[in-house]
Amino acid sequence: MIRRASLRALFPILLLVGADPSAVGAQETSSPLADFGELVVGTWEADGSRHVIEWGVGRLAVRTRSFFADGESWTLVSEGMWWWDDAAETIRGLAVAVGMPVERFEYVTRVEGRRVIHELTAYGEMSGEMFESWLVDADGYAWTLSERRDGTLQEIMGGAYRRIR
């Protein structure tokens, strides 16, 4: 008789043996996140800052981690993910942060050619409704963060990240 502990140990192996690789591949290629992921997945750096953006399981999510330089090492300051929201037919995202004037970001994201546009809600000391744009090319991306003031969008931050290969 197989004991319960033995079954728990075998479960991950049984899943792998029983998995249909063609189904996994089909799931990955049909992700609504494909355009977004193809643009942003990678490692990006600017002075004192690094973003690591990678595919999640089955390409059903895009994970992100952000770091600030800390001498010769990097300190994790933010992490989150984007996913396809079937009900709203849009890309949504959520990220949390420490050591920044924003503690949580909630995103609604769209891709227009090589531009990624985030409509976001920021929570924390620097809270509010904001708009972020990333213009991506093969070597990096330029970004701007804007907020609505007096009825118009005004840029409040910006910069550029280079792709690290």
Side-chain angles (χ1 to χ4, degrees):
M1 177 173 208
I2 298 175
R3 291 185 296 179
R4 187 174 294 208
S6 298
L7 281 174
R8 277 195 296 257
L10 284 173
F11 187 70
I13 295 167
L14 293 171
L15 283 176
L16 288 175
V17 171
D20 177 1
S22 63
V24 172
Q27 184 180 28
E28 288 181 2
T29 58
S30 65
S31 170
L33 293 175
D35 291 341
F36 178 62
E38 293 307 315
L39 280 176
V40 304
V41 166
T43 300
W44 311 85
E45 286 186 8
D47 293 333
S49 180
R50 174 185 283 173
H51 298 301
V52 177
I53 304 173
E54 57 195 359
W55 282 110
V57 64
R59 294 189 176 212
L60 295 175
V62 173
R63 295 185 306 240
T64 179
R65 291 175 292 143
S66 297
F67 303 83
F68 286 160
D70 187 11
E72 295 295 315
S73 63
W74 294 95
T75 299
L76 179 66
V77 295
S78 176
E79 58 188 339
M81 65 183 273
W82 286 276
W83 66 93
W84 178 254
D85 180 337
D86 284 323
E89 295 185 349
T90 193
I91 299 168
R92 292 205 184 271
L94 177 67
V96 293
V98 295
M100 296 172 51
V102 176
E103 298 163 357
R104 186 175 85 235
F105 302 88
E106 294 178 1
Y107 296 92
V108 173
T109 299
R110 69 183 183 276
V111 176
E112 295 178 355
R114 302 209 53 88
R115 185 175 302 276
V116 176
I117 300 166
H118 304 285
E119 296 179 33
L120 64 101
T121 303
Y123 297 90
E125 179 183 321
M126 190 177 137
S127 64
E129 303 294 319
M130 299 179 193
F131 301 88
E132 187 172 12
S133 173
W134 302 351
L135 182 56
V136 183
D137 65 28
D139 298 320
Y141 70 88
W143 68 278
T144 58
L145 180 67
S146 304
E147 68 180 353
R148 194 166 306 282
R149 292 183 185 163
D150 300 324
T152 62
L153 278 180
Q154 295 183 15
E155 186 177 319
I156 57 174
M157 289 184 194
Y161 281 83
R162 65 191 174 285
R163 185 184 293 273
I164 304 300
R165 302 207 185 271

